[in-house]
Amino acid sequence: MPTPLATTPEIVAAVIFAIAVLHTFSTKFFAHLAHIQPRHAGLWHLLAEVEVVFGFWAFILVGALFALSGPGAAVNYLEDRNFTEPMFVFVIMVIAASRPILHTVIAIVRLIAAMIPINRSVAVYFLCLSAVPLLGSFITEPAAMTLAALMLRDGYFRQQLSNRLKYATIGLLFVNISIGGTLTNFAAPPVLMVAAKWQWDTLFMLSHFGWKAAFAVFVNAATLTWFFRNEIAAKGKPGASGGGAMPATVAGIHIAFLVGVVVFAHHPVVFMGLFLFFLGYTEAYKQHQDRLILREGLLVAFFLAGLVVLGGLQQWWLQSTLTGVEPTLLYFLATALTAVTDNAALTYLASLVEGVNAEFKYAIVAGAVTGGGLTIIANAPNPAGVAILKSSFDDESVSPLGLLLAALPPTCVAIFAFLAL
């Protein structure tokens, strides 16, 4: 059956999407403009924020739709988009980063680290890159990303680590978070998009994806930890975060809020209501709180919402690209496409293709999670990690090229795990 011709709005949306992707690799250029053109420094600083990029170009797309299709069609298009994921990531990011949750996870990590017969800083670093990403299969990937990034930032990134180690760490973290959420059928966004339609339960995920992902996660974390063990041992201060004592009741209430949001992740009316109660509770017990990362969370939600708006008109070329491709080639194609599209959007489009076999399904999902660490836009939790860690990098920004190069080695390990095991 021939592929239908793209409409003018779809072509315009594809061009704007390509420009947005290029923009993410050009943020340092806009930061430089802010220094040489101080009169418009505010605008250039805004365009230098990676989290702003897709929201900005989504606004341009909406303006183009108003001009091409009329206000009614543009508004209807926006109302047809599903913004549950951006809202969920915002809520889970703020709650997971609260001091009681962070304090609890740090205490558990330290307890496990004490059982490992190596330097304490090295042990905690290893667990941040292995155990915490796998925890994402149960508390969701955005929550795991937030916790791991905060622990790495406070205990390591702020201790004058070399840029080489910083980039190696963030690249590996993004890859391990992306594949570490595949032990269950509800925690990784690209899996969520297909699990119900393809009838994949947690047992299926664990037997087909989870154990392979766990192997890659531990190999990646162990290799990087061993390679930089001397610098981590010398500069790491894992006790730099976590604060003082935390009442068990307060920590338990925060965990209950976190669990509630995870359970009702597909019901924004419920989890937003829980979030409002959470804000009231934190206001009532300020003495046990640090500043909530509302600004960072809103920027990440803005980024993801922009991706939803831009991605909704890319189906015409993505679906035709995916159909009729041999499974192994499809796996590598999905890995590459994930780098320039959100992996959840990729698997969602694949779920719309009828009559696909088991090999197609495995290849598309395995490829989507494999490539989830290559760029900032590849996986929904990545902007959250960047928002937390970027202050520790030069010019307070993460180089997209630096991230890509750092993520390639752990991505190759994931490729081996999903294709060879």
Side-chain angles (χ1 to χ4, degrees):
M1 181 177 178
T3 303
L5 294 176
T7 63
T8 300
E10 287 175 332
I11 294 173
V12 170
V15 172
I16 292 175
F17 182 78
I19 295 172
V21 172
L22 291 175
H23 187 164
T24 63
F25 285 86
S26 309
T27 52
K28 283 187 177 293
F29 170 74
F30 290 100
H32 178 66
L33 285 180
H35 292 294
I36 64 176
Q37 295 184 6
R39 183 180 177 184
H40 302 290
L43 173 62
W44 300 133
H45 276 302
L46 179 69
L47 295 177
E49 293 278 356
V50 172
E51 295 90 343
V52 171
V53 171
F54 276 81
F56 172 80
W57 287 103
F59 178 80
I60 301 296
L61 173 61
V62 172
L65 292 178
F66 264 78
L68 293 169
S69 306
V75 171
N76 288 336
Y77 172 73
L78 288 176
E79 290 183 339
D80 286 341
R81 299 307 95 205
N82 185 348
F83 294 99
T84 299
E85 186 179 34
M87 289 190 289
F88 172 75
V89 170
F90 164 66
V91 171
I92 203 73
M93 185 177 172
V94 174
I95 296 178
S98 62
R99 195 211 297 178
I101 296 290
L102 187 61
H103 183 280
T104 301
V105 174
I106 289 174
I108 295 172
V109 168
R110 288 175 181 166
L111 181 64
I112 299 174
M115 303 175 186
I116 303 177
I118 57 176
N119 177 276
R120 182 66 57 85
S121 294
V122 176
V124 171
Y125 177 86
F126 169 74
L127 292 172
C128 285
L129 292 177
S130 56
V132 178
L134 291 175
L135 183 64
S137 285
F138 306 95
I139 65 171
T140 75
E141 287 184 353
M145 176 69 82
T146 301
L147 291 168
L150 286 169
M151 294 170 66
L152 289 167
R153 182 196 67 184
D154 295 341
Y156 300 91
F157 278 50
R158 287 180 172 173
Q159 314 306 324
Q160 282 71 54
L161 295 184
S162 65
N163 274 337
R164 188 182 177 199
L165 177 52
K166 287 179 184 177
Y167 274 103
T169 300
I170 194 172
L172 189 146
L173 174 65
F174 283 12
V175 173
N176 277 6
I177 288 288
S178 181
I179 62 177
T182 59
L183 277 70
T184 62
N185 66 337
F186 60 84
V191 175
L192 267 173
M193 293 298 172
V194 300
K197 182 171 182 179
W198 292 347
Q199 298 180 335
W200 287 3
D201 57 15
T202 292
L203 181 61
F204 177 90
M205 289 304 304
L206 188 62
S207 60
H208 288 77
F209 293 89
W211 70 274
K212 300 176 184 179
F215 170 84
V217 164
F218 279 109
V219 169
N220 282 336
T223 301
L224 185 64
T225 302
W226 181 86
F227 193 80
F228 286 98
R229 63 192 183 282
N230 293 330
E231 182 176 356
I232 296 168
K235 297 181 179 179
K237 295 181 180 179
S241 58
M246 180 64 60
T249 302
V250 174
I253 291 174
H254 276 244
I255 292 172
F257 275 116
L258 184 69
V259 171
V261 170
V262 170
V263 170
F264 293 100
H266 302 296
H267 305 280
V269 173
V270 179
F271 71 67
M272 288 303 296
L274 287 172
F275 182 62
L276 294 177
F277 276 109
F278 170 79
L279 293 179
Y281 179 79
T282 58
E283 185 67 21
Y285 292 89
K286 288 183 178 179
Q287 67 272 29
H288 301 304
Q289 309 295 332
D290 292 325
R291 179 187 70 86
L292 297 178
I293 58 171
L294 294 171
R295 176 183 178 275
E296 294 88 341
L298 284 171
L299 280 174
V300 171
F302 183 59
F303 178 97
L304 295 174
L307 195 55
V308 169
V309 173
L310 288 171
L313 289 172
Q314 310 306 319
Q315 180 178 349
W316 65 274
W317 66 267
L318 266 176
Q319 186 163 320
S320 61
T321 302
L322 297 176
T323 53
V325 181
E326 187 270 332
T328 302
L329 179 59
L330 178 63
Y331 170 81
F332 286 105
L333 181 61
T335 301
L337 284 173
T338 290
V340 294
T341 62
D342 177 65
N343 56 9
L346 184 65
T347 58
Y348 168 73
L349 293 175
S351 72
L352 301 178
V353 182
E354 298 296 338
V356 296
N357 56 27
E359 289 77 14
F360 176 96
K361 296 174 182 178
Y362 178 86
I364 200 73
V365 174
V369 298
T370 297
L374 293 172
T375 62
I376 296 168
I377 68 174
N379 194 27
N382 292 358
V386 170
I388 293 168
L389 294 171
K390 67 180 181 181
S391 61
S392 302
F393 287 84
D394 296 338
D395 299 325
E396 295 192 355
S397 65
V398 177
S399 165
L401 181 59
L403 172 62
L404 176 65
L405 294 175
L408 283 176
T411 298
C412 290
V413 174
I415 290 172
F416 170 80
F418 285 121
L419 289 186
L421 296 183

